[in-house]
């Protein structure tokens, strides 16, 4: 069975001898070969140059051939950029947008979806290069941010500790809030259609900041927009939803039309599996900090998760969030060995 078949079978909740494995941010600073490339060109340049973006995407698969999926090397912030609000990295860490969205007229003067997606043609070119390279051996994942998570960066003007601006906007000016989320939703639908046409096997939506919303507002602030995106894409196309810190909303997420829920490390995945409908897959969910420990500890904890899921269908093995720059190569190797040899 190829990795791609294993991945698509897990998404379809068919029984398997072991789950497929990939890792969020599997291409990144913990890899020396990534750091070597990045010493020569900026992050944004690598993202925008298909040959480089494809190369970075493939780096982890070369080092760890046991990985079952490749995830496009890009960033969720290419959407704000293509709409007219560029991003950069702060020297102190975190994201800095070129400016902050403060008025309705600023939102109205963002580019329309077709213009934005035309600017993102390099993403389609990267996916096509990857598809050509991988064929049907590995699953190929596209991705994007959720409308809410992108709106936090656009309204806060970058990374934020308190998210006060986006929350104040949500509470005090729903017309402006909805105008922005509508704009993002329309752009993301066109963007995901482009990724699907270019060869993506599945798309992951990152609602990384869904967990900072007041519980009763999660639907209005985030989930309704995700549901609209899913409804606008081909009915049989698999979408994975990752929303950090949203445990109380897992069931609502599972009924949003997505094929899989990616679960953060604070949840007990076996309980989540029992709670969610049988036709929705679950993905996750080792604590990423484990990748900074030792191979023995990683192997023990990965086995514990695998055993807790024994006899269930619809599990994609992953970390509960992205792998960190401090992760050790030997821990990643232990993870790949443990999951791919487990029966
Ligand atoms: O998973 C992969 O290998 C694919 C590539 C990928 C990146 N970003 C590359 C990247 C993916 C899927 C993302 C998604 C992303 N980007 C999210 C959602 C997932 C999550 O982590 O919750 C978010 C919130 C972003 C925005 C973003 N981009 C942040 C917060 C940062 C870190 C900034 C910092 O302080 O370092 C980035 C940078 C980024 N995106 C890196 C990578 C490999 C690190 C860049 C580097 O230092 O080389």
């Amino acid at each position: 069975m190829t990795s791609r078949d294993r991945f698509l079978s897990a998404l379809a909740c068919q029984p398997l001898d072991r789950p497929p494995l990939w890792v969020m941010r599997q291409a990144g600073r913990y890899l020396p070969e990534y750091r070597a490339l990045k010493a020569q060109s900026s992050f944004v340049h690598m993202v925008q140059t298909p040959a480089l973006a494809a190369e970075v995407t493939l780096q982890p698969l070369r080092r760890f051939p046991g990985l079952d999926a490749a995830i496009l090397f890009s960033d969720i912030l290419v959407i704000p950029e293509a709409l007219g609000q560029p991003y950069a990295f702060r020297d102190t860490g975190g994201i800095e947008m070129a400016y902050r969205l403060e008025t309705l007229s600023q939102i109205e003067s963002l580019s329309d979806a077709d213009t934005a997606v035309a600017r993102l043609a390099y993403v389609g070119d990267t996916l096509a290069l990857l598809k050509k390279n991988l064929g049907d051996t590995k699953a190929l994942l596209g991705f994007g941010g959720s409308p809410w998570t992108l709106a936090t960066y656009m309204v806060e003007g970058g990374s934020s500790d308190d998210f006060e601006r986006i929350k104040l906007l949500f509470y005090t000016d729903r017309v402006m809030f909805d105008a922005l989320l509508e704009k993002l939703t329309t752009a993301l639908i066109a963007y995901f259609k482009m990724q699907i046409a270019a060869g993506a096997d599945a798309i992951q939506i990152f609602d990384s900041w869904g967990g900072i919303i007041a519980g009763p507002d999660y639907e209005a602030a985030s989930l309704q927009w995700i549901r609209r995106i899913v409804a606008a894409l081909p009915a049989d196309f698999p979408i994975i939803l990752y929303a950090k810190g949203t445990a109380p909303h897992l069931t609502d997420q599972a009924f949003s039309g997505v094929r899989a829920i990616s679960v953060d490390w604070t949840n007990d995945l076996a309980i989540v599996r029992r709670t969610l409908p049988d036709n929705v897959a679950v993905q996750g969910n080792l604590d990423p900090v484990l990748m900074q420990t030792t191979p023995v500890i990683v192997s023990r904890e990965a086995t514990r998760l695998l055993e807790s899921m024994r006899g269930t269908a619809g599990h994609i093995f992953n970390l509960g969030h992205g792998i960190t720059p401090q992760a050790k190569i030997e821990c990643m190797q232990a993870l790949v060995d443990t999951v791919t040899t487990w029966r």
Side-chain angles (χ1 to χ4, degrees):
M1 161 176 253
T2 66
S3 282
R4 182 170 177 272
D5 288 342
R6 182 178 293 283
F7 193 87
L8 295 176
S9 299
L11 272 175
C13 294
Q14 283 155 7
L16 288 166
D17 53 356
R18 64 135 178 115
L21 169 71
W22 71 282
V23 171
M24 289 195 267
R25 285 189 199 267
Q26 65 189 10
R29 266 177 293 177
Y30 76 103
L31 288 176
E33 53 271 37
Y34 172 84
R35 293 197 301 268
L37 263 189
K38 213 185 140 203
Q40 297 162 25
S41 41
S42 71
F43 179 81
V44 172
H45 178 71
M46 291 199 297
V47 162
Q48 293 184 347
T49 310
L52 285 175
E55 167 62 21
V56 176
T57 304
L58 295 171
Q59 283 178 339
L61 291 145
R62 273 193 218 110
R63 189 182 274 270
F64 309 109
L67 290 171
D68 292 302
I71 178 160
L72 167 74
F73 182 75
S74 184
D75 202 274
I76 63 169
L77 296 166
V78 299
I79 281 283
E81 177 179 63
L83 289 169
Q85 196 186 8
Y87 67 99
F89 298 106
R90 291 180 188 142
D91 292 338
T92 49
I95 306 296
E96 174 101 17
M97 305 305 286
Y99 62 94
R100 203 182 259 153
L101 276 188
E102 287 175 314
T103 64
L104 188 58
S105 73
Q106 278 179 313
I107 291 170
E108 283 162 352
S109 52
L110 292 171
S111 302
D112 61 71
D114 289 343
T115 308
V117 172
R119 285 187 187 130
L120 295 169
Y122 61 82
V123 172
D125 295 343
T126 304
L127 284 168
L129 268 183
L130 287 165
K131 184 70 194 169
K132 209 169 129 201
N133 187 293
L134 297 170
D136 287 342
T137 58
K138 304 281 177 188
L140 178 56
L141 306 185
F143 74 91
S146 73
W148 162 264
T149 289
L150 293 176
T152 67
Y153 288 100
M154 297 172 84
V155 171
E156 299 288 334
S159 304
S160 174
D161 294 329
D162 49 28
F163 297 93
E164 282 181 0
R165 285 173 190 273
I166 185 74
K167 288 187 182 193
L168 285 171
L169 178 64
F170 177 76
Y171 288 131
T172 63
D173 191 345
R174 200 61 71 86
V175 171
M176 181 172 153
F177 178 87
D178 284 354
L180 175 57
L181 279 268
E182 191 94 49
K183 189 123 206 169
L184 284 165
T185 299
T186 308
L188 285 161
I189 290 168
Y191 183 47
F192 290 152
K193 283 184 177 167
M194 183 261 263
Q195 293 190 22
I196 295 169
D201 290 311
I203 280 177
Q204 179 149 322
I205 298 177
F206 287 94
D207 192 15
S208 302
W209 298 118
I212 60 118
I213 303 167
D217 294 323
Y218 182 67
E219 173 66 26
S222 186
L223 192 56
Q224 65 156 326
W225 308 100
I226 293 169
R227 198 179 285 118
R228 284 187 210 192
I229 292 172
V230 175
L233 298 177
D236 53 348
F237 188 83
I239 313 282
I240 305 167
L241 172 59
Y242 174 77
K244 186 157 148 267
T246 58
H249 308 301
L250 288 172
T251 301
D252 286 340
Q253 289 164 357
F255 284 99
S256 68
V258 299
R259 191 75 68 76
I261 301 292
S262 190
V263 177
D264 77 30
W265 68 93
T266 62
N267 293 274
D268 182 326
L269 197 62
I271 295 175
V272 173
R273 178 61 292 171
R274 284 201 295 276
T275 318
L276 296 188
D278 289 343
N279 61 348
V280 175
V282 296
Q283 177 174 277
N285 77 340
L286 278 191
D287 188 339
V289 172
L290 282 166
M291 308 307 282
Q292 299 174 38
T293 60
T294 66
V296 170
I297 294 174
V298 168
S299 182
R300 184 187 73 208
E301 293 304 313
T303 303
R304 183 170 160 219
L305 174 54
L306 287 162
E307 289 301 333
S308 79
M309 299 297 283
R310 188 181 281 287
T312 68
H315 176 209
I316 299 166
F317 204 109
N318 208 300
L319 302 180
H321 196 202
I323 190 165
T324 60
Q326 303 81 21
K328 295 180 189 160
I329 301 282
E330 60 268 32
C331 288
M332 184 67 175
Q333 187 65 57
L335 177 67
V336 173
D337 291 345
T338 305
V339 176
T340 56
T341 59
W342 182 83
R343 291 295 181 273

